[in-house]
Amino acid sequence: MYAFEYHRPTSIGQAATLATEVEDVKFLAGGHTLLPTMKMRLAAPASLIDLSQIAELHGIERSAESITIGAMTKHAEVVNSSEIRESIPALAEMAELIGDPHVRHRGTIGGSVANNDPSADYPAACLALNATIITNKREIAADDFFQGIFTTALEEGEIITRVSFPIPSRAAYAKFRHPASRYALVGVFVAERGNDVRLAVTGAGADGVFRVPEMEQSLSRHFAPDALEGIIIPPEGMNGDIHADAAYRAHLVGIMARRAVQAAASRG
Amino acid sequence: MTATGIGAPVRRKEDQRFVTGQGRYVDDFNRPGQAYAYFLRSPHAHAAIRSIDTGPALVMPGVLAVFTGDDLAADKIGGLICGWMIHSKDGSPMKAGPHPALAQDKVRYVGDHVAVVIAETLAQAKDAAEAIVVDYDVLPAVVETAEAQNSSVQVHDVSSDNTVFNWHLGDKDATDAAFAQAKHVTKIDLVNNRLVPNPIEPRAALGEYDPGTDNYTLYTTSQNPHVARLVLSAFIGVAPEHKLRVIAPDVGGGFGSKIFIYAEETVCVWAAKKVKRPVKWTSDRTEAFLSDAHGRDHVTRAELATDDSGKILGLRVHTIANLGAYLSTFSSSVPTYLYAPLLSGQYDIPAIYCEVDGVYTNTAPVDAYRGAGRPEATFVVERLVEKTARELGQDPAEFRRRNYITQFPHQTPVIMAYDTGDYAASLDKALELADFANFSERKRDSARRGRLRGIGFSSYIEACGIAPSQAVGSLGAGVGLWESAEVRVNPTGSVEVLTGSHSHGQGHETTFAQLVSDRLGIPIDQVSIVHGDTDKVQFGMGTYGSRSGAVGMSAIAKALDKVIAKGKKVAAHVLEAAEGDIEFKDGKFGVAGTDRALGFGEVALQAYIAHKFSGQDLEPGLKEGAFYDPTNFTFPAGVHICEVEIDPDTGVTTIERWTAVDDFGVIINPMIVEGQVHGGIAQGVGQALLEGAVYDQSGQLVTASFNDYCMPRAADLPSFQVDVTVTPCPSNPLGIKGCGEAGAIAAPPAVINAITDALGHEDISMPATPQAVWRAVRKAHMPMAAE
Ligand SMILES: Cc1cc2nc3c(=O)[nH]c(=O)nc-3n(C[C@H](O)[C@H](O)[C@H](O)COP(=O)(O)OP(=O)(O)OC[C@H]3O[C@@H](n4cnc5c(N)ncnc54)[C@H](O)[C@@H]3O)c2cc1C
């Protein structure tokens, strides 16, 4: 790790101002992605703006239509939230599959979404649930937010404040863990809201999280695993590493999609 | 059996310290004025060094010194050594290339040591290392074990085809003759995957020099501090042996990787004198992946000849063993004398012939890792035996039973003389515990759920204790492999045992104390075990090869016998009886046939106050030492049975049941032994299903972090069913065989035999990752499927 300046503002306004005043700055949330890369000297921001003391970024709110989660909310808080368990159980179940207890008690939804790791779980949930990413400047639909691996619609100095999830009629997440890292080798999040079915895949795509329109259309006609029969996911555009090449990942997308639909359908 | 004696499941005395964070590891030691070392490592697998400019680094803040290989050479510091001479078939000695602690002229693997920066802080040392300018001429690399001998890349000048040795063992003609009359020959090609040891505590070294006394001190993460001192003084030449104190305090696991003498500790001791400051280095996890000696990495073709009744006639093995870029401390012995002598397994095999080519590649050095040679041998034998049984249409358990050695002692055709064992007893017990009788029902049940179930056996044997010094000397070892102990009885009757064994997780503070408690009849909390400091313990060979029980404790037992003998003399004087009439029983020295007796503590006090005997009759004090040199290897053996279920959709293999029946001879602490078995199985399952070091073609380590290198986790393992059979070892006074490596030796073939049973074909290698198993399932069930 190289030396850096450390700031700890207490309001979103202060943080945003700091971000424009200070050179080469990064926001610090749970630090579970940022700090390891700094320790390995792969990232070397001149300043960090720690978001942890900004009260407005914390908390979970439930309305009739949606769940809204503050950016600094930790994965463990999502896991344990009774509001979320009641309204979008799939989201709490997804959060429970992130990393290990240490990670879940440090990592945040804001950090995960802003980072857009191609193997992270939240991007699939955001895309499938048709979430809105709310920043200090605007509201961005998930479909527009995730723009390829480690790339998002966020502008320099823009702060995610909340993520809002419309409550689906049923949803589920099926994750095939990477054997070593336990991130998603392939994760499929499926959500049905009225007649609208959205299905998003993380871990597999070379360009990051993506939706599978063919599966969505078929599922919107008939929400059951057999609706996916015959839909082949081609290996082109898939990620590959020593644990899973493109062909295996493509195959797993089909398997995990079926398992996610099975789990969602069994929710009644 | 007493509550704390031999055989009692005593809770580990050291765990209170460890689990409350009060252990003291090398990195916990800080010396006044301490500076920090950071090693600049090669980013290239193979490159000539045209020049190194340390100038820009030297002017960086906090930098005390920057050293390169030239500085070591100028001080006549020798290279790192390989302490076991192997001769090729033609009688020529192995081709050992130079192994300087800091590279000279060339780097040979990613992570090779190029220069060291010593600075006030670690961050300053790292900053300065980035400022060193190295002009590399990058060369092509050779990384694949099987390709090393045909590569145009030459790793060392001493070997034109990267061959270190072409070694062999056994009788070629007799083996050829056996194959000529065979009814059936089974062939197998195997890869034993390369592993990264990954002890939880990374390596560390802290060197200190006292100009007043000219004494050096090295705190290091070592399994054998005396061997480290010997090598650093006699061979590398950093300090005279009597001026160098090596301390290996609490050590957080080693699995073999902390046996060896590495560049970093060499440099830290030497640099401490150069900069006149204590110098500390602590490996980070990436450095550990890159530069700890790796394990295994064999490519093998083997054949087993059988007659028409399924009796084994002969075994032929050819192995290429990747030794990495340099010969690490004991690397040459692992794929030779720790490997081929185990190829007879538990079987009566009349003829065996094994050839091993040790090769250089542009990868991290490979050396002993939990099991060291025996897992590789067991994998060959047990995979081959299983495959043979299947080809012959015989039950794999019964095929094994038919070929078991049943008469002891048994001389194998490959050096070893097995002393005792009852292999069928372990098999019978394992079959019962594994509920083998109902396996086919479970398999049908799995099939109904769309799952593939398989069962796999591993009927392993290994050789521990290493070993009679004369024997290993005749095989090329540069050292003897005895162990020493000193028992110091204090006037109050408490006891300190100084041992040359070194605990780095094994629980010696408990098991060794149990032996003392058992023999002297004193409470276990009256016993302290002292190890890991060359200023306290006179000499010792250290802990590896599951030797601390069989060899280390035997030395203690011998010293305890001497203490008791001396105690009898003291008691005779005090009790005014003839020495021959004194009996020692239940912690009391008594006069035979009377009720006159002295407790152990009373005798200890009398020995030190020396009021009851004259100096002419008896020396005061109660302290005895012993060296114990074993008369044979010990031969732990057993049967492990693994049952797996495979999800054909994902390729995920779940271990449903694990049965282990081991014969470790006499057991000192069954709880600790069971823990060793659990850990060993976990490591073996890791090798079989999860772990594997992967280098890309350019020699970059792809698996250089836990993000890519998959370690076993608790959830990857079932609850083990562990049991024992006991045939006491006849060659040591305690009857101990050793248990530390058995699980890691037994497990891999059990897993792969279970997977191949489930698949219905043999085509899967380690690690059998979900991806690999998925492909193998498709191969079995959908021969027409593309990909
Ligand atoms: C061992 C381990 C295992 C893990 N396993 C998983 C897993 O299985 N699945 C998974 O999905 N994730 C996993 N993670 C990632 C973890 O869950 C976090 O989500 C992730 O580290 C990012 O969150 P953070 O709060 O730590 O963000 P940080 O590391 O603090 O920040 C990450 C990035 O986001 C930016 N950022 C943070 N907050 C904001 C904000 N409010 N507005 C704008 N930009 C912001 C930062 O500047 C930085 O660039 C794992 C992490 C570790 C260390």
Side-chain angles (χ1 to χ4, degrees):
Chain A
M1 196 176 276
Y2 299 97
F4 56 88
E5 264 183 51
Y6 175 77
H7 304 274
R8 197 167 64 186
T10 51
S11 73
I12 294 172
Q14 273 177 18
T17 313
L18 268 171
T20 58
E21 287 170 356
V22 194
E23 281 279 292
D24 187 18
V25 18
K26 278 250 173 225
F27 297 115
L28 175 67
H32 259 200
T33 294
L34 184 54
L35 295 183
T37 47
M38 288 172 66
K39 283 185 186 167
M40 306 234 291
R41 299 190 155 197
L42 299 171
S47 321
L48 289 187
I49 301 175
D50 182 348
L51 302 177
S52 64
Q53 301 304 305
I54 304 175
E56 307 149 75
L57 296 180
H58 291 268
I60 296 166
E61 269 175 48
R62 177 184 180 169
S63 72
E65 291 291 300
S66 66
I67 286 279
T68 302
I69 304 175
M72 285 301 289
T73 305
K74 296 182 176 98
H75 308 324
E77 296 172 65
V78 172
V79 174
N80 295 322
S81 156
S82 53
E83 280 98 347
I84 296 178
R85 289 228 168 250
E86 281 160 20
S87 53
I88 322 182
L91 191 60
E93 288 159 10
M94 179 230 73
E96 200 160 16
L97 293 172
I98 296 176
D100 53 40
H102 305 75
V103 173
R104 293 195 289 274
H105 282 84
R106 285 299 305 176
T108 65
I109 183 171
S112 182
V113 170
N115 198 47
N116 193 16
D117 186 304
S119 307
D121 298 298
Y122 262 117
C126 291
L127 210 50
L129 290 166
N130 200 11
T132 302
I133 319 300
I134 302 162
T135 76
N136 60 331
K137 296 185 178 156
R138 57 193 167 136
E139 300 194 354
I140 311 168
D143 280 318
D144 303 322
F145 184 84
F146 300 104
Q147 301 187 343
I149 59 170
F150 300 110
T151 311
T152 67
L154 287 176
E155 288 161 9
E156 198 89 349
E158 190 170 3
I159 303 167
I160 298 177
T161 56
R162 282 165 295 153
V163 182
S164 179
F165 297 91
I167 296 171
S169 37
R170 47 192 177 171
Y173 182 57
K175 176 176 181 175
F176 191 91
R177 285 191 168 103
H178 186 283
S181 75
R182 294 319 207 233
Y183 274 74
L185 192 86
V186 170
V188 175
F189 204 110
V190 66
E192 185 193 43
R193 194 155 177 264
N195 284 335
D196 186 26
V197 175
R198 293 168 64 101
L199 182 145
V201 179
T202 188
D207 290 331
V209 65
F210 63 93
R211 290 170 60 190
V212 187
E214 202 184 345
M215 287 183 170
E216 291 177 350
Q217 281 148 24
S218 184
L219 287 168
S220 59
R221 287 192 291 273
H222 173 51
F223 196 82
D226 58 16
L228 300 177
E229 227 140 82
I231 301 179
I232 306 270
I233 304 292
E236 289 74 33
M238 293 288 153
N239 246 334
D241 65 13
I242 57 166
H243 290 278
D245 62 15
Y248 179 54
R249 273 191 163 87
H251 164 78
L252 283 180
V253 172
I255 299 290
M256 290 299 119
R258 223 159 294 158
R259 289 183 184 179
V261 171
Q262 177 73 53
S266 69
R267 285 216 148 97
Chain B
M1 184 176 88
T2 65
T4 59
I6 290 175
V10 178
R11 287 241 198 139
R12 297 192 353 151
K13 291 173 75 175
E14 46 272 78
D15 283 351
Q16 177 70 21
R17 171 167 102 247
F18 293 149
V19 301
T20 56
Q22 293 175 88
R24 283 201 89 194
Y25 301 87
V26 172
D27 193 55
D28 294 321
F29 288 80
N30 292 297
R31 306 296 300 157
Q34 174 178 298
Y36 293 83
Y38 182 74
F39 288 84
L40 178 67
R41 293 173 187 276
S42 172
H44 306 295
H46 197 195
I49 300 175
R50 289 205 198 91
S51 65
I52 304 176
D53 183 2
T54 59
L58 280 166
V59 299
M60 300 274 291
V63 173
L64 300 171
V66 182
F67 298 117
T68 66
D70 288 347
D71 298 301
L72 285 168
D75 275 9
K76 302 208 161 29
I77 302 300
L80 308 180
I81 61 153
C82 178
W84 198 303
M85 172 52 74
I86 295 297
H87 287 89
S88 285
K89 278 185 258 188
D90 65 7
S92 62
M94 65 185 185
K95 293 172 178 150
H99 189 181
L102 296 174
Q104 285 199 287
D105 310 328
K106 232 184 168 196
V107 286
R108 294 184 173 84
Y109 68 100
V110 172
D112 204 353
H113 315 72
V114 177
V116 64
V117 181
I118 320 285
E120 297 288 349
T121 70
L122 179 59
Q124 288 172 333
K126 283 188 184 182
D127 289 347
E130 288 178 8
I132 298 173
V133 182
V134 187
D135 185 6
Y136 291 108
D137 178 12
V138 179
L139 304 168
V142 55
V143 296
E144 292 291 335
T145 309
E147 287 165 17
Q149 292 167 298
N150 304 317
S151 170
S152 57
V153 176
Q154 191 177 340
V155 181
H156 283 279
D157 293 345
V158 288
S159 178
S160 57
D161 64 353
N162 298 318
T163 302
V164 184
F165 50 74
N166 301 110
W167 174 88
H168 68 162
L169 186 67
D171 188 332
K172 182 172 190 309
D173 294 340
T175 307
D176 287 346
F179 274 82
Q181 31 156 303
K183 180 84 197 240
H184 184 87
V185 173
T186 300
K187 298 186 182 179
I188 200 161
D189 287 303
L190 297 168
V191 173
N192 206 287
N193 42 330
R194 176 186 278 244
L195 304 176
V196 181
N198 282 320
I200 197 160
E201 180 207 22
R203 290 189 293 119
L206 168 56
E208 193 174 3
Y209 176 70
D210 179 348
T213 58
D214 196 31
N215 283 339
Y216 298 77
T217 304
L218 169 66
Y219 299 81
T220 183
T221 48
S222 176
Q223 303 178 208
N224 32 233
H226 292 87
V227 176
R229 183 174 70 152
L230 179 65
V231 170
L232 286 166
S233 58
F235 296 94
I236 303 177
V238 284
E241 192 172 13
H242 64 297
K243 290 289 183 188
L244 175 59
R245 176 183 185 185
V246 176
I247 299 171
D250 286 333
V251 173
F255 310 116
S257 70
K258 292 172 181 170
I259 297 172
F260 322 122
I261 290 75
Y262 290 89
E264 291 88 354
E265 54 259 32
T266 304
V267 170
C268 283
V269 185
W270 168 79
K273 183 175 183 181
K274 297 290 275 190
V275 302
K276 303 186 177 66
R277 301 266 295 269
V279 173
K280 183 193 250 185
W281 168 79
T282 302
S283 172
D284 66 27
R285 191 54 71 179
T286 307
E287 289 182 288
F289 271 100
L290 292 175
S291 71
D292 288 3
H294 292 175
R296 320 274 192 258
D297 204 340
H298 286 196
V299 173
T300 295
R301 161 156 285 196
E303 303 169 83
L304 194 71
T306 40
D307 70 10
D308 47 13
S309 71
K311 177 86 193 59
I312 300 172
L313 300 175
L315 170 63
R316 196 150 50 197
V317 178
H318 181 269
T319 292
I320 306 173
N322 191 345
L323 299 172
Y326 300 97
L327 298 185
S328 171
T329 317
F330 288 109
S331 58
S332 55
S333 67
V334 177
T336 51
Y337 288 110
L338 300 183
Y339 169 66
L342 274 304
L343 285 172
S344 195
Q346 299 185 350
Y347 310 105
D348 184 2
I349 307 183
I352 299 176
Y353 182 63
C354 175
E355 292 171 283
V356 179
D357 297 348
V359 299
Y360 285 121
T361 57
N362 294 112
T363 63
V366 178
D367 207 324
Y369 171 68
R370 200 172 193 172
R374 292 101 85 209
E376 296 91 317
T378 301
F379 193 64
V380 171
V381 174
E382 288 305 296
R383 285 288 292 119
L384 194 49
V385 161
E386 189 90 19
K387 188 177 179 200
T388 302
R390 287 171 188 166
E391 285 184 1
L392 297 177
Q394 297 190 12
D395 177 278
E398 294 316 309
F399 177 77
R400 284 176 168 84
R401 189 192 301 279
R402 170 169 314 159
N403 285 287
Y404 276 158
I405 294 161
T406 53
Q407 304 291 317
F408 295 91
H410 173 88
Q411 178 62 52
T412 74
V414 278
I415 299 177
M416 293 303 184
Y418 297 169
D419 47 12
T420 183
D422 187 347
Y423 308 142
S426 294
L427 180 65
D428 289 338
K429 201 167 196 175
L431 287 171
E432 191 180 329
L433 289 173
D435 189 23
F436 183 60
N438 291 309
F439 169 71
S440 43
E441 198 173 301
R442 295 193 293 276
K443 190 174 171 82
R444 274 195 301 277
D445 179 58
S446 295
R448 271 194 290 275
R449 290 181 286 109
R451 303 290 164 104
L452 310 171
R453 190 176 278 258
I455 195 160
F457 294 81
S458 177
S459 204
Y460 76 96
I461 189 162
E462 59 143 333
C464 290
I466 49 174
S469 299
Q470 270 194 336
V472 296
S474 74
L475 303 179
V479 290
L481 288 167
W482 42 264
E483 194 47 86
S484 81
E486 187 178 310
V487 176
R488 294 181 183 168
V489 183
N490 298 315
T492 56
S494 63
V495 171
E496 280 134 43
V497 176
L498 285 74
T499 168
S501 298
H502 185 280
S503 186
H504 40 284
Q506 292 83 352
H508 294 173
E509 287 170 51
T510 307
T511 48
F512 289 12
Q514 283 182 253
L515 169 62
V516 177
S517 169
D518 195 274
R519 287 291 162 98
L520 299 184
I522 59 174
I524 196 168
D525 59 13
Q526 292 291 299
V527 185
S528 289
I529 305 299
V530 178
H531 63 89
D533 185 341
T534 59
D535 261 15
K536 294 180 180 166
V537 179
Q538 186 249 329
F539 208 96
M541 294 311 298
T543 289
Y544 38 82
S546 303
R547 68 195 306 274
S548 298
V551 188
M553 287 178 88
S554 291
I556 297 172
K558 253 182 99 175
L560 288 169
D561 286 346
K562 294 185 188 176
V563 165
I564 292 167
K566 171 84 182 277
K568 283 182 179 170
K569 289 195 169 77
V570 175
H573 282 283
V574 178
L575 295 169
E576 294 173 336
E579 189 190 328
D581 290 339
I582 304 291
E583 290 173 341
F584 183 67
K585 227 178 118 221
D586 301 330
K588 285 195 163 59
F589 292 91
V591 183
T594 75
D595 58 1
R596 290 164 58 220
L598 291 172
F600 181 77
E602 291 169 282
V603 168
L605 184 63
Q606 289 294 342
Y608 282 95
I609 60 176
H611 292 167
K612 296 287 162 93
F613 50 87
S614 82
Q616 272 159 338
D617 291 338
L618 194 61
E619 279 181 28
L622 196 50
K623 181 194 90 165
E624 299 290 344
F627 285 71
Y628 171 77
D629 201 336
T631 54
N632 193 358
F633 291 83
T634 68
F635 298 98
V639 173
H640 286 217
I641 302 178
C642 168
E643 196 169 316
V644 300
E645 197 180 70
I646 294 171
D647 175 351
D649 286 341
T650 58
V652 168
T653 301
T654 311
I655 297 178
E656 295 290 327
R657 301 169 81 108
W658 194 286
T659 308
V661 177
D662 299 292
D663 179 357
F664 297 135
V666 171
I667 287 172
I668 305 294
N669 182 323
M671 182 198 69
I672 287 180
V673 166
E674 193 169 330
Q676 289 287 323
V677 173
H678 284 204
I681 295 170
Q683 258 168 315
V685 169
Q687 167 160 33
L689 293 181
L690 311 164
E691 299 182 49
V694 177
Y695 283 92
D696 70 14
Q697 284 305 314
S698 71
Q700 294 296 329
L701 183 60
V702 178
T703 51
S705 84
F706 292 131
N707 268 334
D708 299 294
Y709 189 91
C710 184
M711 294 295 283
R713 292 158 161 98
D716 296 316
L717 301 158
S719 192
F720 306 120
Q721 234 185 338
V722 176
D723 208 333
V724 294
T725 57
V726 179
T727 60
C729 177
S731 74
N732 65 59
L734 298 169
I736 296 175
K737 294 185 179 179
C739 67
E741 295 157 292
I745 292 166
V751 176
I752 300 299
N753 286 339
I755 292 177
T756 49
D757 181 48
L759 290 172
H761 69 79
E762 304 285 333
D763 197 5
I764 185 95
S765 23
M766 300 191 291
T769 60
Q771 167 173 250
V773 172
W774 174 70
R775 287 244 144 73
V777 170
R778 286 163 75 87
K779 188 178 161 174
H781 295 269
M782 291 182 252
M784 303 308 289
E787 259 303 329

